[in-house]
Amino acid sequence: MDTPLRRRPRSLALELVEALAERIRRGDWAPGDRLPTEASVMSEFGVSRTVVREAISKLQASGLVETRHGVGTFVLDSLAGASFKLSADQLGTLQDVIAVLELRIGLETEAAALAALRRTDANLATMRQALDTIAATLQTGENAVASDFQFHSEIARATQNAHFYDLMLTLGSQIIPRARLSVDAAERASELAYLRRVQAEHESIYDAIAAGDAEAARAAMRMHLSNSRERRRRSQTS
């Protein structure tokens, strides 16, 4: 059962987008189905009308739905149009994950540089919140994919260029190749060390963006994603 969203208003819209998009991807709503009313979504997720409307706007930009004025919002056929999509079966192998990381290197390094030049205090606050949540999960072993994706998506939003942000939403949180912590003590220690290195890379990206240093932000993001790619390649040969 989906639970109500309980985060700051700026991140609520992104989380609502992910929740609704996931229902569409898994087939809860088929092409042509009408989404629940604004009031229904507000009630189920515990969010404001403003948050619902922003989320619907992002789903429209991602080509998942269309709104017919006076009628409602409807799910689009995922095969219609020329919108770029990533399906689950395109991330089924290690080579697929590496290919997506290469795509992200091209996209997100420039996004980080632009974010350093254009970010607002609100953007920084959302990035900081995401990193703090990730840090908290390191001790509990909880899955931090949502917060990891929130951090990267907020960098895209901080470019103040909607195309970067919309593309990140289209790709979705499935692009985050974050490992889960193992229940085995020895493996958990190894995974925890790995996740701490990832978090340190995140902090370097954040520091550069907060400092307004575009070149440092670009370099930090490239290093982070390149390291992720190399970690995946090493795991393939180990």
Side-chain angles (χ1 to χ4, degrees):
M1 177 179 177
D2 296 279
T3 56
L5 303 177
R6 304 180 184 278
R7 296 187 185 276
R8 296 179 185 177
R10 193 166 183 83
S11 61
L12 280 174
L14 175 57
E15 293 196 17
L16 182 57
V17 168
E18 281 297 298
L20 298 179
E22 176 58 25
R23 291 186 181 183
I24 294 172
R25 284 193 288 262
R26 72 191 185 201
D28 291 4
W29 298 317
D33 285 352
R34 185 168 63 182
L35 267 58
T37 63
E38 285 184 355
S40 296
V41 176
M42 290 165 59
S43 175
E44 178 179 355
F45 291 95
V47 296
S48 69
R49 190 176 302 276
T50 299
V51 169
V52 174
R53 289 181 175 176
E54 181 180 349
I56 294 299
S57 176
K58 295 304 179 185
L59 289 173
Q60 287 177 291
S62 298
L64 292 176
V65 303
E66 68 173 0
T67 297
R68 303 170 193 167
H69 295 292
V71 181
T73 299
F74 296 82
V75 177
L76 291 175
D77 185 340
S78 62
L79 298 179
S83 296
F84 177 76
K85 299 285 191 304
L86 272 180
S87 60
D89 61 1
Q90 289 176 291
L91 291 165
T93 70
L94 186 57
Q95 283 304 114
D96 292 333
V97 173
I98 290 173
V100 171
L101 282 166
E102 290 176 348
L103 170 65
R104 291 179 61 196
I105 289 170
L107 171 68
E108 294 188 62
T109 53
E110 191 59 28
L114 291 174
L117 299 174
R118 302 173 181 174
R119 88 294 185 278
T120 65
D121 289 343
N123 292 138
L124 288 176
T126 300
M127 291 178 209
R128 183 71 265 163
Q129 177 198 13
L131 292 182
D132 289 346
T133 301
I134 294 171
T137 65
L138 290 179
Q139 302 307 315
T140 63
E142 295 177 69
N143 188 302
V145 167
S147 296
D148 197 324
F149 183 65
Q150 181 186 6
F151 174 68
H152 284 273
S153 296
E154 192 62 25
I155 291 173
R157 193 207 294 262
T159 65
Q160 313 309 328
N161 179 332
H163 297 304
F164 279 94
Y165 183 60
D166 290 342
L167 181 53
M168 285 294 290
L169 292 186
T170 299
L171 295 176
S173 60
Q174 61 186 340
I175 66 172
I176 303 296
R178 172 171 284 270
R180 293 173 182 266
L181 295 182
S182 171
V183 295
D184 177 82
E187 291 184 4
R188 184 182 187 283
S190 175
E191 294 295 344
L192 184 56
Y194 154 74
L195 292 176
R196 282 176 173 159
R197 287 195 298 274
V198 170
Q199 183 69 346
E201 292 168 5
H202 283 157
E203 292 288 353
S204 294
I205 297 167
Y206 174 84
D207 289 344
I209 292 174
D213 190 332
E215 288 307 315
R218 182 184 283 114
M221 181 64 81
R222 178 173 291 278
M223 178 176 290
H224 169 55
L225 295 176
S226 295
N227 284 347
S228 292
R229 180 183 60 188
E230 293 311 307
R231 281 189 285 260
R232 293 306 178 283
R233 284 176 172 166
R234 286 197 299 272
S235 69
Q236 187 177 34
T237 59
S238 60

